[in-house]
């Protein structure tokens, strides 16, 4: 279960980093900050994993390029849709 949370945070970080490349200049720093927050949560979860198991977690690294498509639609998908799913 913990591995899934780690992978989810890292996946979110990768998507936000991809969005930075296609976003308007006024939004880039905020997206970078959000990606850094996701990365920090993943690092904390990996530390917890280490404390529980005594082993370093090795995330699965995907080499495929993330294509964001239209920026506004991608932002809605990454920010709004998860909130609707939990409501």
């Amino acid at each position: 279960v913990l591995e899934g949370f780690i992978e989810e945070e890292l996946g979110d970080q990768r998507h936000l980093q991809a969005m930075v490349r296609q976003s308007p200049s006024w939004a880039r720093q905020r997206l970078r900050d959000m990606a850094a927050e996701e990365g920090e949560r993943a690092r904390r979860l990996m530390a917890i994993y280490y404390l529980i198991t005594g082993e370093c977690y090795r995330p699965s690294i995907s080499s495929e390029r993330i294509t964001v498509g239209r920026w506004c639609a991608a932002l809605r998908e990454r920010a709004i849709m998860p909130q609707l799913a939990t409501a």
Side-chain angles (χ1 to χ4, degrees):
V1 173
L2 189 55
E3 295 95 337
F5 289 128
I6 295 169
E7 292 296 334
E8 184 178 329
E9 294 293 337
L10 292 172
D12 289 346
Q13 181 185 30
R14 288 189 68 230
H15 277 91
L16 286 166
Q17 289 169 338
M19 288 175 67
V20 167
R21 291 189 288 274
Q22 296 181 357
S23 65
S25 60
W26 56 266
R28 289 183 185 144
Q29 187 57 49
R30 179 64 186 132
L31 288 171
R32 281 188 198 104
D33 292 344
M34 291 169 62
E37 291 169 7
E38 297 289 339
E40 182 57 33
R41 281 194 288 272
R43 281 188 290 280
R44 287 182 188 150
L45 290 170
M46 286 189 276
I48 292 168
Y49 180 89
Y50 177 79
L51 292 172
I52 292 171
T53 65
E55 298 177 5
C56 291
Y57 180 74
R58 304 222 188 267
S60 60
I61 305 295
S62 175
S63 61
E64 71 182 53
R65 184 171 176 87
I66 297 173
T67 304
V68 174
R70 296 188 59 169
W71 186 77
C72 288
L75 184 61
R76 260 192 310 277
E77 179 184 325
R78 299 305 298 177
I80 297 170
M81 297 310 279
Q83 292 176 2
L84 292 176
T86 59

